[in-house]
Amino acid sequence: DSHIQYERVGADVTMKCGSMDWDAAVTWMANGTDIDDSHLNGSYLILKNVDLTQSGQYFCYEGSSWHLKYQTILRVGVPPKEPVLMCRSNNYPKGFYCSWHLPSPTYIPNTFNISVIHGTREMVCEKDVFPKNRCHIRYLQLFSTVKYKVTLTVTNALGKNSTSLTFDEFAIVKPDPPESVVAKPVPNNPRRLEVSWQNPSSWPDPESFPLKFFLRYRPLILDQWQHVELSDGTSHTITDAYAGKEYIIQVAAKDNDIGTWSDWSVAVHATPWTEEPKHLTTEVQITETTSTSTSSFMPPPTTKICDKGAG
Amino acid sequence: MAAADTPSASLRHHDLCSRGIRLARKMRSDVTDLLDIYVEQQGLDASISVAAVEGVPAAAAERWAEQTGTQRLLDNLAAYRAFRVLLAQMLEEQREQLGDANGELGPALAAVLLQVSAFAYHLEELLELESRRTPAEEGSEPPAPPRLSLFEQKLRGLGVLRELAQWAVRSVRDLRQLAKHGPGSSAALGLADSQ
Amino acid sequence: PQNLKCVTHNLRKMVCTWEISSKRRHGQTEFCYNTNDLPPLCFKTKEKRVEIPVPESFTTVKITTYSISGAALATRHFEIHKKDISFVPLAPHILSLTPDLSTSTLTLKWSDNGSTFPYGLDASWEIEILRKEPMENVTHESYNSKLTHEDIVHSWNWKSDMPLECTSHYVRIRQYVNVTQFDGHKVWSDWSPLEVVPGKDTEPHGSGLFPQDTVVAVGSNVTFCCVHEEGRQVQRMSYGAKDYPLIRLSSRSSAIRVLNASASDASGTNIVCRMSENGMDGTVLFVGYGPDIPQDLSCETSNFVIIKCTWKPGRASGLYGVRGTKYSLFESVSGKNVSCEVNEMKKERVCGFPVLADQKTYNFVLGVSNPIGQTKALLLVDLNQRVNPETPEKLTVYGNSSTSVHLRWFINGSFAEIRLLCQIEISSGHSEQKLHNVSMPGGKFSTYTAQLNTLHPYTKYQFRVRCSAADHFWRWSDWSGTEKHTTLEA
């Protein structure tokens, strides 16, 4: 049974042909290919400054009898760098999850170990089946001023590294973006668009833990967004849209009292209602169109709807 | 005693809850500002961790979702009464330590103390609406503050304000739970399957 | 017998020792000596040392060794001259080593055993202070005294550059006596045994950050130490926002040294020690200035009830609250002392002192102190020469004449013992303002009147009044409010 031998990139590797003497006649093969004598020192195989390509299976046979005297699997890799760890609560107040990745590959197997300490209490982090680099922690306490400390340790055959995060319960609360965003023109209102959306399904109890929303919209022809913050409700009517211009609209969410804004929702597009063209005199239309297109563009002020009262 | 669940009681209950939530959110915002002033004036590192401070009601709650409405009000009332004493002690300490040089800290601390007192009174009103007798305040003379070094005193003050900020958030949540259900419903008010 | 050596500790007796070179086992030794032409004295001893008197000039010695069976083995003669004798004072005995934690001062007391020596010898002392694990010399101090043939207890203070709690401080002392007339070899005594003031780092659960909540002058150098329990490590120590290099004092104590400390904020500068296992300790340092001598101290009275003293404080101390600068006004004639309420944020300083019955002269001492220092200012005041009356009130003008009016006003205060000089300002329409002075005896919280004649008939006039002390003018009061009056037609 061949064992696995891990070596760092750039290392010098010496393999002995099992119990064979130094001066015994032997043949070394790597991945089915003979290794030429330049790599041999007597019966020892010398690999200088190994690189990733030299990973593979190595066999050593006794010169004349071709008896297999030694075999190994060489895995060339690097020790793990400090892992990148992120913790977030998108389903407050149920719990939070932590996910991690390595900034660069190690080319050899790594094992991750995570510990979550809250004050003096160690908490269980239930690992996800998929994706593997994520686990969940249930809040046993709410409104705690005691910080959470999460320490992630990554180990492989060539080394070990770790990172840790210390945070307050409320600091990592970040909902998922709002879902089912819909934008519709409002008949007979060339400057209005009706936008509606839903609380992210991952947010467990919007009634007890209401979210507030941030809407941004702009005509495709402009780069400057307009924003409006809404302290409750899941719909809003844009009343200052440019007639006939296609708009791009996105929404973000945040807990009413703690944490940070979600990412922006999926963008939706809509164009305000425009009057159906009449069959009679077309000249009238032309003169009318010419006059409107020359008006200068003034960005409408940002609209801020105040907090219409709590609850 | 008027029945707890008459239409007028419900309207008053919802009004008290809504006003309580606004007061708690304002208090939280002011406490957060006060924390910044305090950290800066006391020359502390904002990220410094403070162990649990003796005599300061912890906002942390286990199985918070399962609490009854009355339990929420009683816990809140006890906490804000305690904070009223603690903030008064802090105000006295600032006067003693900083004299006339307490800059923004003194007035900001006094303003939050007023809000805490108002909120405690507000909770008493809610409790009375729940046809509950408001628990008497423990004894007239508040416990003397422990003898601490100046640095411990600074950390203790930080601990008090951090805990108060958390209580303000908790109070908003508690009052929302109460607002969902009418007055006099001491049933468990909370998330169906959380915690 | 060989290598005979004699040492005296007290200039009267000397201890002589010798060596025996032969390998053979020997029994007793006979020691004979004679001094100053006296007959020899002999005695037997098993030791190789004897104590005999110090000779005036020299002593002859004969040492004979005997075998176990009593047969004489060897005899040797010696001549000991004064110059061959060494004078080594006995190691001093420390009576006490007392720490004053509040000032980080050690007080060492020891007896100089003066009674051992003749009168009037000069004695030198070396005091060594050691610290740290492993022990290091901190300082080597010298101290001189005169021996008076009596046992004098000496006391010597040393202020440590770090709090005594930080780590154990060890002290030892040795002595040198300058016996000019002794021509033998003179050397320092042995060191006394070490006396120790144990640090907090030797107490089983001793811990803390020292010094605790102290006040120092700007520019001071301060050492802070973090004492912790066994098994913990200090990871870093910061002064304000800056980390400082750690100095290891012992396995349970580390220190930092802050040089030339600058003025701290009102709430002081935090010193934080962060240890392993989330351990943390802290203290606060207040860095400020001692009080300046008050400038322009001036005292006056506006009502003969209260004397109001004002002064300029000079440079701000940078210390507030309980550590702020305190002012007190002491009057030496009456012996009365008043402490002054002062607002540190305001520039001007005011203090009130009650006017005392039957006392005209006041010898004030304005005492100023804060934790860093104290100072004072003096002022001798003749109160009658420092009257600045209150503003005249309730001025009324009346009269039913075309050329004269009566004015009446009230002054809050007790001026019964002085004369007042009051000035009435008369203005009317286009004509130039006129001032009319009138003096009158002062009254006690009373009303004053004056009459003005030679006015023009049927003319609109405006009057206001101010007063001062008639004798020894000091300051006018503020003007009263203005009163209008029109004279009757002619």
Side-chain angles (χ1 to χ4, degrees):
Chain A
D1 58 341
S2 62
H3 75 295
I4 301 177
Q5 179 175 343
Y6 293 97
E7 296 294 349
R8 273 182 199 235
V9 170
D12 295 342
V13 179
T14 300
M15 293 187 197
K16 288 176 65 183
C17 188
S19 56
M20 299 296 286
D21 292 338
W22 174 77
D23 53 4
V26 297
T27 305
W28 282 90
M29 298 184 73
N31 298 331
T33 316
D34 279 8
I35 299 173
D36 65 62
D37 291 351
S38 65
H39 287 292
L40 299 191
N41 173 1
S43 64
Y44 295 175
L45 173 63
I46 310 293
L47 300 175
K48 292 277 187 190
N49 190 14
V50 292
D51 62 34
L52 296 174
T53 62
Q54 287 173 287
S55 289
Q57 279 201 306
Y58 287 78
F59 302 91
C60 177
Y61 301 93
E62 189 186 8
S64 51
S65 67
W66 280 88
H67 276 149
L68 177 63
K69 286 297 180 183
Y70 177 73
Q71 66 171 319
T72 186
I73 299 171
L74 176 64
R75 296 288 301 274
V76 180
V78 291
K81 288 205 169 85
E82 182 177 329
V84 178
L85 174 64
M86 185 276 286
C87 294
R88 177 178 162 212
S89 170
N90 64 343
N91 60 346
Y92 187 81
K94 281 194 167 179
F96 63 92
Y97 69 85
C98 292
S99 61
W100 56 84
H101 68 271
L102 286 178
S104 56
T106 63
Y107 308 103
I108 57 175
N110 305 296
T111 53
F112 294 90
N113 180 288
I114 190 164
S115 95
V116 181
I117 306 285
H118 182 223
T120 55
R121 181 190 277 186
E122 174 129 20
M123 305 181 72
V124 173
C125 198
E126 290 143 11
K127 285 214 171 143
D128 278 357
V129 174
F130 179 80
K132 286 217 311 280
N133 56 348
R134 181 148 104 164
C135 67
H136 291 265
I137 303 100
R138 283 168 67 86
Y139 280 126
L140 300 180
Q141 262 188 349
L142 287 185
F143 316 114
S144 170
T145 51
V146 176
K147 292 182 187 290
Y148 289 81
K149 182 167 185 180
V150 180
T151 304
L152 177 72
T153 306
V154 53
T155 312
N156 68 21
L158 298 175
K160 178 179 187 175
N161 214 316
S162 70
T163 188
S164 68
L165 280 182
T166 301
F167 50 82
D168 284 307
E169 163 193 329
F170 40 77
I172 59 166
V173 174
K174 174 181 178 179
D176 289 331
E179 293 165 3
S180 321
V181 182
V182 173
K184 293 183 294 188
V186 178
N188 304 315
N189 279 279
R191 299 211 57 192
R192 287 182 175 236
L193 285 171
E194 214 170 72
V195 188
S196 65
W197 59 89
Q198 288 175 0
N199 288 303
S201 50
S202 53
W203 195 255
D205 182 5
E207 199 181 347
S208 298
F209 296 83
L211 295 170
K212 60 182 177 184
F213 301 97
F214 215 96
L215 185 70
R216 71 175 182 181
Y217 57 95
R218 65 177 170 84
L220 288 182
I221 55 169
L222 292 181
D223 295 333
Q224 181 69 32
W225 289 96
Q226 288 168 260
H227 296 95
V228 58
E229 184 173 334
L230 307 153
S231 64
D232 55 24
T234 56
S235 66
H236 174 67
T237 302
I238 296 168
T239 55
D240 56 356
Y242 288 106
K245 295 292 178 251
E246 184 185 2
Y247 269 75
I248 177 171
I249 299 140
Q250 288 180 294
V251 193
K254 178 183 174 299
D255 176 82
N256 231 335
D257 295 293
I258 59 174
T260 58
W261 286 98
S262 73
D263 295 336
W264 289 107
S265 69
V266 172
V268 294
H269 292 248
T271 306
W273 174 85
T274 50
E275 193 149 12
E276 284 307 317
K278 291 213 172 51
H279 298 297
L280 299 179
T281 53
T282 52
E283 289 86 15
V284 171
Q285 275 172 328
I286 296 165
T287 48
E288 192 183 305
T289 315
T290 319
S291 65
T292 51
S293 64
T294 56
S295 66
S296 61
F297 163 66
M298 283 294 290
T302 304
T303 316
K304 180 171 172 62
I305 300 240
C306 294
D307 181 342
K308 278 190 283 194
Chain B
M1 239 359 231
D5 200 7
T6 61
S8 67
S10 292
L11 263 179
R12 175 135 174 77
H13 181 268
H14 190 269
D15 173 53
L16 280 176
C17 286
S18 302
R19 275 196 293 122
I21 287 170
R22 278 200 296 281
L23 183 51
R25 296 188 75 205
K26 171 74 166 84
M27 183 164 51
R28 193 227 177 177
S29 156
D30 289 353
V31 172
T32 305
D33 294 344
L34 173 57
L35 260 167
D36 294 340
I37 296 169
Y38 185 85
V39 162
E40 208 247 325
Q41 174 111 24
Q42 300 291 8
L44 292 170
D45 169 353
S47 68
I48 201 166
S49 62
V50 179
V53 184
E54 198 199 328
V56 176
E62 301 204 357
R63 284 189 292 284
W64 169 80
E66 299 155 19
Q67 280 196 321
T68 67
T70 303
Q71 194 55 49
R72 292 180 196 282
L73 287 173
L74 291 172
D75 284 358
N76 270 263
L77 183 56
Y80 286 96
R81 282 177 170 172
F83 279 114
R84 195 166 45 198
V85 171
L86 291 164
L87 291 175
Q89 283 169 357
M90 280 178 71
L91 206 50
E92 189 43 39
E93 281 160 11
Q94 293 313 314
R95 280 197 197 105
E96 185 188 87
Q97 291 303 327
L98 301 178
D100 305 302
N102 64 22
E104 296 173 281
L105 185 54
L109 204 48
V112 167
L113 173 55
L114 270 180
Q115 290 181 57
V116 163
S117 303
F119 194 70
Y121 176 74
H122 199 81
L123 294 168
E124 284 162 5
E125 277 192 280
L126 265 168
L127 265 170
E128 273 149 27
L129 198 63
E130 296 266 323
S131 315
R132 298 272 163 200
R133 223 171 27 76
T134 312
E137 297 226 38
E138 284 146 31
S140 58
E141 219 27 60
R147 268 204 64 75
L148 300 173
S149 74
L150 287 181
F151 187 72
E152 287 164 335
Q153 211 176 82
K154 287 185 175 186
L155 288 191
R156 178 182 164 82
L158 186 58
V160 168
L161 295 181
R162 278 180 177 169
E163 211 61 59
L164 178 55
Q166 274 296 77
W167 263 104
V169 174
R170 175 173 166 176
S171 301
V172 169
R173 312 293 195 189
D174 283 326
L175 289 172
R176 271 209 195 97
Q177 296 292 74
L178 281 161
K180 274 188 354 188
H181 304 272
S185 61
S186 58
L189 312 165
L191 314 181
D193 56 358
S194 82
Q195 311 283 291
Chain C
Q2 56 184 353
N3 280 340
L4 178 65
K5 286 189 187 127
C6 295
V7 173
T8 175
H9 297 303
N10 52 27
L11 302 173
R12 290 195 312 279
K13 294 269 183 172
M14 61 183 182
V15 174
C16 296
T17 57
W18 61 89
E19 295 159 5
I20 295 171
S21 62
S22 80
K23 298 279 181 303
R24 293 185 52 184
R25 291 187 62 236
H26 64 277
Q28 291 202 317
T29 301
E30 182 183 52
F31 185 95
C32 297
Y33 72 96
N34 68 318
T35 309
N36 311 342
D37 308 330
L38 292 171
L41 278 170
C42 295
F43 45 90
K44 291 237 168 99
T45 175
K46 283 207 167 97
E47 305 293 325
K48 285 181 279 189
R49 66 190 302 274
V50 295
E51 184 178 70
I52 57 174
V54 172
E56 287 305 320
S57 54
F58 70 92
T59 296
T60 55
V61 169
K62 183 182 78 175
I63 301 175
T64 308
T65 55
Y66 293 88
S67 67
I68 299 289
S69 59
L73 292 178
T75 297
R76 187 99 182 262
H77 292 272
F78 300 90
E79 232 184 48
I80 308 165
H81 290 270
K82 216 54 182 292
K83 62 177 178 51
D84 305 325
I85 304 167
S86 297
F87 166 52
V88 183
L90 285 173
H93 168 59
I94 291 179
L95 297 174
S96 67
L97 178 62
T98 318
D100 175 348
L101 298 181
S102 63
T103 59
S104 306
T105 303
L106 291 175
T107 301
L108 178 68
K109 286 188 188 324
W110 75 94
S111 163
D112 68 2
N113 280 337
S115 58
T116 317
F117 300 104
Y119 183 84
L121 293 181
D122 288 327
S124 302
W125 309 86
E126 267 189 1
I127 301 161
E128 194 172 56
I129 294 176
L130 306 100
R131 227 175 8 207
K132 290 197 180 174
E133 281 171 8
M135 226 184 274
E136 269 176 20
N137 178 305
V138 174
T139 186
H140 216 93
E141 308 272 345
S142 302
Y143 175 86
N144 297 311
S145 69
K146 199 98 96 161
L147 299 177
T148 60
H149 200 50
E150 287 173 357
D151 291 347
I152 303 294
V153 174
H154 293 274
S155 177
W156 175 80
N157 287 344
W158 177 73
K159 181 172 173 52
S160 174
D161 62 343
M162 71 170 66
L164 299 177
E165 298 95 331
C166 286
T167 192
S168 300
H169 285 71
Y170 304 88
V171 179
R172 63 185 179 183
I173 183 170
R174 67 178 178 175
Q175 172 186 19
Y176 179 85
V177 182
N178 189 15
V179 196
T180 46
Q181 67 275 26
F182 178 82
D183 47 19
H185 186 48
K186 296 183 275 272
V187 294
W188 283 90
S189 73
D190 289 342
W191 287 103
S192 71
L194 280 172
E195 275 296 315
V196 62
V197 168
K200 275 266 191 224
D201 56 350
T202 60
E203 293 174 14
H205 299 295
S207 68
L209 212 152
F210 304 95
Q212 273 287 318
D213 307 343
T214 38
V215 183
V216 298
V218 170
S220 302
N221 300 333
V222 188
T223 299
F224 297 95
C225 67
C226 183
V227 179
H228 51 83
E229 299 204 357
E230 201 68 58
R232 276 211 165 156
Q233 281 87 36
V234 173
Q235 289 167 337
R236 58 192 182 92
M237 284 176 75
S238 55
Y239 174 79
K242 188 177 158 221
D243 283 0
Y244 274 70
L246 292 176
I247 304 162
R248 183 187 185 281
L249 300 180
S250 72
S251 63
R252 289 178 51 199
S253 181
S254 295
I256 59 172
R257 183 126 175 92
V258 174
L259 302 177
N260 191 16
S262 54
S264 57
D265 294 339
S267 62
T269 301
N270 299 325
I271 300 89
V272 181
C273 171
R274 286 187 171 73
M275 295 169 262
S276 50
E277 298 131 52
N278 288 328
M280 179 175 64
D281 219 325
T283 187
V284 183
L285 179 73
F286 297 89
V287 188
Y289 297 96
D292 267 354
I293 296 174
Q295 304 299 313
D296 308 337
L297 175 59
S298 164
C299 297
E300 63 182 33
T301 182
S302 61
N303 51 25
F304 276 97
V305 175
I306 289 287
I307 300 168
K308 187 178 85 171
C309 294
T310 59
W311 66 89
K312 294 198 179 69
R315 178 182 51 193
S317 70
L319 302 172
Y320 301 92
V322 288
R323 285 165 295 279
T325 300
K326 305 288 184 283
Y327 295 89
S328 67
L329 210 48
F330 171 72
E331 203 284 312
S332 56
V333 173
S334 60
K336 188 171 176 56
N337 191 53
V338 164
S339 66
C340 309
E341 282 298 316
V342 160
N343 181 331
E344 287 138 319
M345 305 306 281
K346 291 203 178 114
K347 265 283 168 218
E348 76 279 357
R349 294 281 188 272
V350 181
C351 194
F353 190 90
V355 171
L356 304 172
D358 310 324
Q359 182 169 337
K360 282 294 157 267
T361 306
Y362 291 79
N363 194 0
F364 285 123
V365 177
L366 176 64
V368 194
S369 68
N370 69 20
I372 293 175
Q374 57 190 17
T375 183
K376 63 185 176 196
L378 312 175
L379 182 68
L380 185 63
V381 176
D382 175 345
L383 206 53
N384 286 355
Q385 298 183 21
R386 287 291 179 277
V387 178
N388 169 15
E390 300 270 1
T391 311
E393 304 165 27
K394 306 176 191 136
L395 172 63
T396 51
V397 182
Y398 57 92
N400 43 18
S401 144
S402 58
T403 57
S404 73
V405 290
H406 288 273
L407 288 87
R408 189 169 55 235
W409 62 89
F410 169 80
I411 301 181
N412 187 29
S414 174
F415 305 96
E417 294 180 23
I418 64 168
R419 286 184 60 76
L420 286 176
L421 169 68
C422 290
Q423 191 171 69
I424 301 164
E425 181 191 74
I426 308 144
S427 32
S428 69
H430 41 76
S431 75
E432 195 200 299
Q433 267 174 2
K434 289 199 183 82
L435 292 175
H436 175 75
N437 287 353
V438 56
S439 80
M440 59 202 62
K444 201 167 186 176
F445 296 94
S446 66
T447 301
Y448 302 88
T449 60
Q451 180 174 348
L452 292 180
N453 303 313
T454 64
L455 299 178
H456 300 299
Y458 201 55
T459 304
K460 214 182 264 179
Y461 285 98
Q462 292 187 356
F463 304 95
R464 60 179 186 169
V465 63
R466 64 179 179 177
C467 298
S468 70
D471 315 322
H472 314 297
F473 174 85
W474 167 242
R475 273 199 193 111
W476 286 109
S477 71
D478 290 341
W479 285 104
S480 72
T482 303
E483 275 300 304
K484 291 180 181 142
H485 179 80
T486 306
T487 51
L488 299 183
E489 293 183 48

